[in-house]
Amino acid sequence: MAFLQAHWLDILTTVLGLLYIWLEYRADIWLWVVGIIMPALDIWLYWQHGLYGDSGMACYYTAAAVYGYVMWKWGKGGKEELPITRMPASRYLPAVLFFLAAWGATWYVLVTWTNSTVPVLDAFTNALSFVGLWTLARKYIEQWFFWIVVDAVCCMLYVQKGIPFKALLYGLYIVIAVFGYLRWHRVMLEAASASPTPDPSRD
């Protein structure tokens, strides 16, 4: 009982996290609903364990879930749900520059205004998560690669910080992300093959 009292929030958010990743694997728009509830609880969980960057990131996750839902639902002018696509090459440089700027800014905030003991890695996962959430909201298949890196670092951090269930969750996320990429890739190819081929004679 004492164990449950000490870890109930960790367990609850872990269960929600499993539901979230399953919905993401299926490219189900309901992932964004869970994506509002889970990070709202994570704000409290991470703050209790001194992961202030992750706590702040959870605030962003909550707001970004609303954006993600809107993009998936009405990203194509309200006519149909946004399809799975590859990230355009022109978006990579801006994404890298944004990541570096966000990493530096988050690190500065952590070392200046908090007593975080892992500011570099905490800032790293936060900055890369910004990019990961944006690519997920745009339904770019490359989002899975960003999350694999974030999940691996977070798993290590949560072990160090004594959040065991969350650490196990993020370890599982790595495995699911691999299968998620394969599934999204298959769905993307199936959608492409089902699309009508333009008739050159009508140009």
Side-chain angles (χ1 to χ4, degrees), residues 39-133:
L41 295 173
D42 280 337
I43 296 171
W44 181 14
L45 174 67
Y46 293 143
W47 191 271
Q48 288 179 331
H49 291 271
L51 292 167
Y52 305 115
D54 280 355
S55 183
M57 190 66 193
C59 295
Y60 168 74
Y61 280 164
T62 305
V66 177
Y67 170 76
Y69 180 85
V70 171
M71 286 302 302
W72 279 36
K73 185 68 175 179
W74 298 289
K76 296 196 71 176
K79 297 180 181 179
E80 56 183 294
E81 286 191 18
L82 199 67
I84 298 171
T85 59
R86 293 195 179 280
M87 184 174 170
S90 60
R91 301 287 176 87
Y92 278 96
L93 180 58
V96 170
L97 293 176
F98 175 82
F99 161 71
L100 293 175
W103 188 5
T106 307
W107 172 84
Y108 177 78
V109 170
L110 291 176
V111 299
T112 304
W113 287 293
T114 77
N115 61 350
S116 174
T117 57
V118 286
V120 174
L121 291 180
D122 203 0
F124 173 85
T125 57
N126 277 264
L128 193 56
S129 293
F130 279 119
V131 179
L133 263 182

Side-chain angles (χ1 to χ4, degrees), residues 91-195:
R91 301 287 176 87
Y92 278 96
L93 180 58
V96 170
L97 293 176
F98 175 82
F99 161 71
L100 293 175
W103 188 5
T106 307
W107 172 84
Y108 177 78
V109 170
L110 291 176
V111 299
T112 304
W113 287 293
T114 77
N115 61 350
S116 174
T117 57
V118 286
V120 174
L121 291 180
D122 203 0
F124 173 85
T125 57
N126 277 264
L128 193 56
S129 293
F130 279 119
V131 179
L133 263 182
W134 172 73
T135 53
L136 173 58
R138 302 297 305 183
K139 235 173 185 177
Y140 294 143
I141 194 171
E142 290 81 2
Q143 62 101 7
W144 290 108
F145 299 137
F146 297 121
W147 291 123
I148 288 173
V149 176
V150 170
D151 296 340
V153 177
C154 283
C155 181
M156 179 186 66
L157 281 176
Y158 298 152
V159 169
Q160 293 178 356
K161 288 293 185 175
I163 314 178
F165 290 99
K166 209 70 169 180
L168 288 172
L169 174 65
Y170 275 75
L172 180 60
Y173 274 1
I174 299 171
V175 177
I176 295 176
V178 174
F179 287 99
Y181 171 81
L182 295 175
R183 186 179 191 279
W184 277 40
H185 187 261
R186 184 175 68 252
V187 171
M188 184 177 66
L189 292 180
E190 290 173 353
S193 63
S195 299

